[in-house]
Amino acid sequence: MTEAMGHGVNQRKAIQMTPEEVDAFLAERRTMTMCSLATDGSIHAVAMWYGFLDGCVTVETKAKSQKVKNLRRDPRLTVLFEAGDYYEELRGVELVGRAEVIDDPEQLWTLGISVFERYYGAYSDELKPFLETMLHKRVAIKLLAERTVSWDHRKLGLPPTRPAE
């Protein structure tokens, strides 16, 4: 980075991920923070594993969960994905949009396999009973993203601040 940190220099564009970098980041195995709006206007934030349905970030969750109740009332949804322990390592993606709650068993099954393979490994027919149990009384929540915000502080070229071991 040729410009010094601070001193009113806007480095937003310098640390923004490309669409390809965002896709690669979301493809990694990680947990996301999912935020919906409670009835009192407060933010209901939960950690979730996710998969993809029709190219969209999607979760499976209990049909009667608080997040589903919130999203059926107000579909606005924000999710956050992050990585890094020290400032110069921080990376993240925020997706803002609207939720679609899906009750369709075929789509839920497709999502179930996506989530299973992201977090457990390859799916096979021997695992069908496990997946059926995992999806019992569940729905899918698909995020129809309208805005993407991303950052990758590694692009700043800052010296490491991680303590020596």
Side-chain angles (χ1 to χ4, degrees):
M1 187 87 219
T2 57
E3 297 172 336
M5 280 284 294
H7 308 291
V9 177
N10 184 346
Q11 296 180 314
R12 178 80 208 107
K13 287 191 187 245
I15 64 171
Q16 190 172 5
M17 291 185 197
T18 66
E20 295 78 20
E21 290 169 331
V22 168
D23 288 346
F25 186 76
L26 297 181
E28 294 174 12
R29 183 185 185 274
R30 67 182 69 255
T31 302
M32 72 174 189
T33 302
M34 181 176 175
C35 302
S36 60
L37 294 171
T39 55
D40 65 1
S42 63
I43 297 169
H44 179 250
V46 293
M48 298 291 296
W49 282 356
Y50 64 96
F52 296 93
L53 195 57
D54 304 322
C56 297
V57 169
T58 309
V59 301
E60 54 83 17
T61 189
K62 292 184 181 197
K64 294 185 178 185
S65 68
Q66 186 62 54
K67 67 186 102 25
V68 171
K69 289 176 186 175
N70 291 344
L71 293 166
R72 286 193 192 278
R73 187 188 70 261
D74 183 339
R76 291 179 290 175
L77 178 62
T78 298
V79 297
L80 175 68
F81 311 82
E82 58 182 330
D85 293 320
Y86 294 88
Y87 185 82
E88 71 279 1
E89 302 169 349
L90 297 179
R91 297 180 296 149
V93 173
E94 175 193 56
L95 300 176
V96 179
R98 300 206 170 267
E100 178 185 343
V101 179
I102 300 170
D103 300 297
D104 177 64
E106 286 184 30
Q107 290 187 68
L108 189 58
W109 187 260
T110 299
L111 172 65
I113 292 171
S114 175
V115 171
F116 183 92
E117 291 188 333
R118 288 178 54 72
Y119 297 97
Y120 294 109
Y123 174 78
S124 65
D125 284 336
E126 296 85 50
L127 297 167
K128 185 176 182 179
F130 174 83
L131 202 61
E132 287 172 338
T133 300
M134 182 178 113
L135 298 175
H136 183 67
K137 296 185 179 180
R138 302 281 187 157
V139 295
I141 299 173
K142 179 175 17 174
L143 173 61
L144 305 172
E146 298 165 355
R147 184 174 73 236
T148 301
V149 179
S150 65
W151 57 95
D152 184 348
H153 288 191
R154 299 174 308 172
K155 294 181 176 189
L156 293 171
L158 298 172
T161 59
R162 180 179 289 274
E165 293 182 22

